[in-house]
Amino acid sequence: MASIEPSTENSHRVTESPADLEKPGLFLNRELSWLQFNLRVLEEAEDVRHPLLERVKFLAIFATNLDEFFMIRVSGLRRQVAGGAGETPPDAMTPSEQMLAICREVMVHLERHRTCWQQDLLPKLREAGIYALSYGDLEQAERDGLRQYFQREVFPTLTPLAIDPTHPFPHISNLSFNLAVVVKDPERGDCFARVKLPDSFRRLVPVPAQEGSTPQEKDLGGIGKVQRFAWLEEVVADNLDLLFPGLEIVASYPFRVTRDADVTIEADEAPDLITAVEEQLELRDFNSVVRLELAGTTPDHIADILIRNLQIPSYLVYTEHDPIGMAGLMELTALERPDLKDAPFQPVMPALLSKPGGVLDAIRQDDLLLYHPYDSFTPVVEFVREAANDPNVLAIKQTLYRVNPKSPIIDALMEARVNGKQVAVLVELKARFDEENNIEWARKLEDEGVHVVYGVRGLKTHAKVCLVVRREPEGIRRYVHLGTGNYNVLSSRIYTDLSYFTCDPAIGSDVSDLFNALTGYSRKDGYAKLLVAPAALRRELLDRIDREIHCHLKNGDGHLAFKMNALVDKACIQALYRAAQAGVKIELQVRGICCLRPGIPGMSEGITVTSVVGRFLEHARIYYFHNGGQDEVFLGSADLMPRNLDRRVEILFPVLHSRWREVIVHDILDVSLRDNVQARRLRSDGTYERLTPLEGEPSVNSQDWFLNRWKARSMS
């Protein structure tokens, strides 16, 4: 499929870089940069300006992020350390050096996490009537109530596993919560056992109200009500005598294991991709251990038993004084406490879509841009739903990467097939941690007669595109939705993303060619409007950066402004350095990983890098080129990372309508880049400093600005 596979023709800039652009000191390490991003998430938990349960949410997100980091990134580094292989990164750190630096950094972050929870959030939650209690803080009557709950609900699900010469060390599944239990047998002495906590129960168990408590204390869930919780592992630990009758419970110690969760599919060797993915998912729970979390009370001899049997090096063992696995704090955010949360907001329905005629009629009149979550995601759903029920629509084609449960888009696609439309859907089975969900959706679509393909061999399909083909009096017309984010109703409320609707013939033709390459075979060499990876996206971007250098040398007005999730690709970073050396103004807003090092004398003084972390996850990708006054703006799914440019099907698409280019450049980009409340600026040493308004400068919180003012803009 020549239309999406990498081109054999390379730009001179890509293959040959000046020696001074190859120096390792010009690049920040990818893994350490990610840890800096997660630290910014932790800073949001520390920020007293956020409502209390929003701060708890950020603390839980920090923990969840760290879990995934160990499952994917640390596991990969450990394989490199063990195998002595792996490509050297631009910063030239060896795998062992990276691992050591990661361990040091994580320890510092975990200490800040502990301080935030123990000394800040926990006391404030108590003041608000929300108690996450240690067992020692419970009254005896409360313990008795929890014992009844344990006997009734938890006890039947537990399976204690002895560990001795006749009972081998059991398998410990990924991210499971466990108790290492020491019991004393009258004849055998001290014995060791493991109890796995079932993951079907809440981590924070509501404490039953005591007899004689006030009505306010009994009535949980409202503002001002007292809500008391105990940790599940402590509930189980306090009732181990029921699991080991006749034995003395000496002690128990919670622990948790993290395993390598990176699924590798050898597509060339798999006759059936869906079966290959399922087989790999089954093996995920048996991959090597990459982290062991122990309670701070765990004695050395118990730790040694676990370390020896799990075959994990000591540098991947973390002893924690908080309850281990703090991602469970996310349960508290489900409490009905609106006084402790961000004020709810109502996404805007653009005025153009409120008129009679529907979404397709509005797109036929003009291109349409939506900025989620400030603009409603409903028009995206209605686009597919309307097409499914329009008798003049002949075909619908769509890519799906991450889809929410009970997806209305999936329902609409199946409805379209029932209504006799030709429906083709590419479901990316290799979307990390969504593999099982996507397999289920793929089979449901197939059951309805939808043409389902699972992706392109050797590549992930990450592009977000939907094509509707309609017969009209003037002939066949293509309607296209292109986006920066997933077709996911739930994430559309918490991610910032852009949607672009158009029936431009050139873009429609490009999208048809793209789907032909994705679902069949294609020998088409290029696209008129789209920039497509892995064939040409990097080359096209490098050419445009080079063009900006020439425009600046001619006119003195060179300007690049990119907004993305991650900047890792070496060739792109080197191109930006060349542009900065030529004097081009470069503004980058990179939410997560950034390997470019700003502020290097003679190299990158003209580059500013900021990151916004706030209420919504910044997810849009915008690439602006001043182009000598002929502004060019691309949107799409691609970050500037080797995986996006080399190992994924990605698209960037041009914003053709001048009005929407103005909105993106002068509203979205300008306001985002002026943020001095939630933004941090990257320093040359790889750390970040929070921006604050200068004297006389107004405060700009970009997300608040969009929440407050986007409605007026959208209604115009």
Side-chain angles (χ1 to χ4, degrees):
M1 288 174 283
S3 57
I4 58 176
E5 290 179 350
S7 170
T8 56
E9 296 181 5
N10 289 308
S11 164
H12 180 73
R13 288 178 306 282
V14 177
T15 56
E16 295 183 18
S17 297
D20 61 349
L21 293 181
E22 295 288 341
K23 294 178 180 177
L26 298 178
F27 303 93
L28 297 170
N29 180 261
R30 182 198 196 283
E31 316 305 344
L32 299 183
S33 181
W34 184 91
L35 288 174
Q36 283 291 314
F37 160 68
N38 208 35
L39 181 61
R40 297 194 291 279
V41 175
L42 179 57
E43 288 174 352
E44 294 304 297
E46 298 169 334
D47 191 340
V48 297
R49 295 174 298 182
H50 290 304
L52 184 57
L53 286 181
E54 302 298 336
R55 297 178 63 194
V56 172
K57 175 192 72 177
F58 282 114
L59 202 68
I61 291 172
F62 169 89
T64 300
N65 287 348
L66 199 59
D67 287 346
E68 294 186 5
F69 179 71
F70 272 87
M71 286 189 283
I72 303 302
R73 301 305 306 177
V74 173
S75 65
L77 282 174
R78 193 181 178 206
R79 287 195 299 272
Q80 291 181 40
V81 170
E87 183 178 348
T88 302
D91 60 276
M93 288 184 72
T94 67
S96 296
E97 289 171 338
Q98 293 179 71
M99 191 74 84
L100 179 61
I102 287 169
C103 292
R104 288 173 174 169
E105 196 76 9
V106 166
M107 292 300 294
V108 174
H109 294 185
L110 288 176
E111 181 59 27
R112 280 184 63 171
H113 183 277
R114 186 195 67 79
T115 300
C116 180
W117 172 245
Q118 294 285 357
Q119 299 181 20
D120 188 359
L121 294 183
L122 196 57
K124 286 185 171 63
L125 285 168
R126 288 171 179 161
E127 292 173 7
I130 300 171
Y131 293 80
L133 297 163
S134 297
Y135 237 65
D137 297 326
L138 297 176
E139 302 291 337
Q140 186 58 49
E142 292 175 317
R143 288 192 178 196
D144 292 342
L146 287 170
R147 188 174 180 85
Q148 294 176 23
Y149 164 79
F150 173 83
Q151 289 177 296
R152 184 178 65 252
E153 302 287 340
V154 182
F155 177 82
T157 69
L158 297 178
T159 304
L161 296 175
I163 301 173
D164 57 33
T166 62
H167 297 84
F169 191 85
H171 172 72
I172 311 295
S173 54
N174 185 38
L175 298 183
S176 63
F177 289 90
N178 305 269
L179 291 177
V181 182
V182 180
V183 297
K184 184 180 289 293
D185 184 277
E187 297 179 358
R188 302 174 61 186
D190 285 353
C191 302
F192 183 68
R194 172 258 193 164
V195 176
K196 177 183 177 182
L197 276 60
D199 54 15
S200 54
F201 293 94
R202 292 179 54 174
R203 181 80 190 288
L204 288 162
V205 181
V207 177
Q210 300 180 59
E211 290 298 325
S213 59
T214 66
Q216 182 188 48
E217 290 172 330
K218 288 184 177 180
D219 184 13
L220 304 183
I223 296 175
K225 310 304 181 186
V226 174
Q227 297 155 294
R228 294 166 67 82
F229 300 92
W231 297 93
L232 178 61
E233 59 267 33
E234 295 194 14
V235 174
V236 175
D238 196 58
N239 293 282
L240 287 172
D241 60 299
L242 299 176
L243 280 174
F244 300 94
L247 303 181
E248 177 189 348
I249 308 300
V250 177
S252 65
Y253 309 98
F255 70 95
R256 193 172 75 135
V257 160
T258 307
R259 291 185 179 273
D260 181 346
D262 201 7
V263 174
T264 302
I265 306 296
E266 297 296 338
D268 292 339
E269 301 175 6
D272 178 3
L273 183 59
I274 198 167
T275 301
V277 173
E278 287 180 317
E279 290 174 351
Q280 286 298 314
L281 291 177
E282 291 175 1
L283 294 174
R284 177 185 275 173
D285 233 13
F286 295 89
N287 287 344
S288 61
V289 176
V290 294
R291 180 178 57 168
L292 171 62
E293 295 171 273
L294 301 174
T297 56
T298 307
D300 289 344
H301 71 280
I302 297 296
D304 290 342
I305 292 173
L306 296 172
I307 291 169
R308 183 174 65 254
N309 283 279
L310 294 170
Q311 299 179 10
I312 185 171
S314 58
Y315 64 83
L316 291 175
V317 178
Y318 291 85
T319 301
E320 301 176 19
H321 297 282
D322 289 336
I324 60 174
M326 294 290 278
L329 287 175
M330 190 63 78
E331 293 175 4
L332 292 178
T333 65
L335 296 175
E336 291 295 330
R337 291 295 302 268
D339 57 317
L340 303 179
K341 299 180 181 181
D342 287 325
F345 75 100
Q346 186 64 38
V348 172
M349 180 65 73
L352 185 62
L353 295 177
S354 302
K355 299 177 182 178
V359 178
L360 295 179
D361 184 64
I363 300 169
R364 188 163 54 249
Q365 295 178 40
D366 215 342
D367 290 359
L368 178 65
L369 178 78
L370 302 178
Y371 192 21
H372 313 297
Y374 316 107
D375 283 321
S376 173
F377 195 71
T378 299
V380 180
V381 177
E382 287 302 314
F383 175 67
V384 184
R385 186 178 288 152
E386 189 178 310
N389 292 282
D390 187 328
N392 293 315
V393 167
L394 305 177
I396 303 173
K397 302 181 181 184
Q398 188 163 8
T399 61
L400 296 176
Y401 193 76
R402 299 192 193 278
V403 186
N404 56 287
K406 300 180 180 178
S407 167
I409 287 180
I410 294 282
D411 290 343
L413 292 169
M414 293 191 291
E415 187 177 7
R417 187 67 198 106
V418 170
N419 291 338
K421 318 295 183 190
Q422 290 293 317
V423 183
V425 179
L426 187 149
V427 180
E428 181 48 72
L429 299 185
K430 301 186 293 294
R432 185 173 291 147
F433 301 125
D434 274 312
E435 299 97 342
E436 292 177 89
N437 186 51
N438 286 2
I439 287 172
E440 181 180 352
W441 281 129
R443 286 183 166 144
K444 286 185 177 180
L445 288 166
E446 287 177 327
D447 289 344
E448 291 293 336
V450 172
H451 299 299
V452 178
V453 295
Y454 305 140
V456 179
R457 178 169 294 193
L459 302 172
K460 278 187 182 181
T461 301
H462 192 245
K464 325 297 184 187
V465 56
C466 181
L467 170 67
V468 171
V469 181
R470 189 173 190 268
R471 179 186 289 118
E472 299 184 357
E474 302 83 7
I476 296 296
R477 190 188 301 269
R478 297 179 180 95
Y479 295 79
V480 179
H481 171 266
L482 300 155
T484 67
N486 293 301
Y487 291 104
N488 188 309
V489 175
L490 298 181
S491 64
S492 73
R493 295 296 303 268
I494 56 176
Y495 286 23
T496 71
D497 271 307
L498 289 155
S499 282
Y500 193 69
F501 296 92
T502 185
C503 51
D504 176 81
I507 287 182
S509 178
D510 274 359
V511 170
S512 285
D513 289 337
L514 177 66
F515 273 109
N516 288 342
L518 293 175
T519 62
Y521 299 99
S522 172
R523 300 299 300 174
K524 184 176 174 62
D525 293 328
Y527 296 85
K529 298 293 184 180
L530 301 182
L531 311 185
V532 180
L537 203 160
R538 179 190 281 108
R539 185 181 71 246
E540 294 278 4
L541 287 175
L542 295 176
D543 286 345
R544 283 168 172 78
I545 294 172
D546 193 51
R547 181 188 64 189
E548 201 66 29
I549 294 173
H550 290 295
C551 287
H552 182 76
L553 295 176
K554 180 180 178 181
N555 304 316
D557 60 351
H559 186 196
L560 301 170
F562 296 170
K563 181 178 175 67
M564 68 195 95
N565 295 339
L567 173 56
V568 177
D569 187 70
K570 181 179 180 180
C572 291
I573 292 172
Q574 290 172 327
L576 292 169
Y577 283 150
R578 286 195 299 271
Q581 287 178 309
V584 175
K585 179 183 179 182
I586 301 175
E587 298 175 287
L588 306 175
Q589 189 159 96
V590 187
R591 186 251 301 165
I593 303 165
C594 181
C595 296
L596 179 146
R597 192 187 294 272
I600 301 173
M603 181 68 67
S604 57
E605 300 105 321
I607 303 177
T608 60
V609 182
T610 58
S611 170
V612 170
V613 177
R615 175 177 182 175
F616 306 116
L617 182 79
E618 296 287 333
H619 197 251
R621 288 86 163 187
I622 305 171
Y623 299 92
Y624 164 74
F625 304 85
H626 183 60
N627 190 28
Q630 302 296 312
D631 289 355
E632 192 173 36
V633 175
F634 285 88
L635 311 176
S637 57
D639 293 307
L640 301 188
M641 304 178 72
R643 73 182 189 190
N644 297 93
L645 303 176
D646 297 326
R647 301 189 295 277
R648 289 184 175 185
V649 178
E650 302 271 16
I651 59 170
L652 295 182
F653 55 91
V655 178
L656 302 177
H657 197 295
S658 59
R659 175 196 174 192
W660 296 126
R661 283 201 304 273
E662 288 287 314
V663 167
I664 291 168
V665 175
H666 298 295
D667 285 349
I668 297 174
L669 266 180
D670 180 65
V671 172
S672 297
L673 291 168
R674 286 193 291 112
D675 193 311
N676 53 21
V677 176
Q678 291 301 125
R680 284 85 160 173
R681 180 167 48 225
L682 176 59
R683 294 181 284 213
S684 60
D685 65 355
T687 62
Y688 286 75
E689 59 180 342
R690 191 155 200 155
L691 296 180
T692 55
L694 300 175
E695 185 176 352
E697 183 181 46
S699 296
V700 179
N701 180 325
S702 57
Q703 294 187 355
D704 281 354
W705 190 95
F706 293 125
L707 278 173
N708 295 327
R709 304 193 191 185
W710 201 252
K711 182 175 182 179
R713 188 210 64 80
S714 295
M715 298 301 288
S716 63

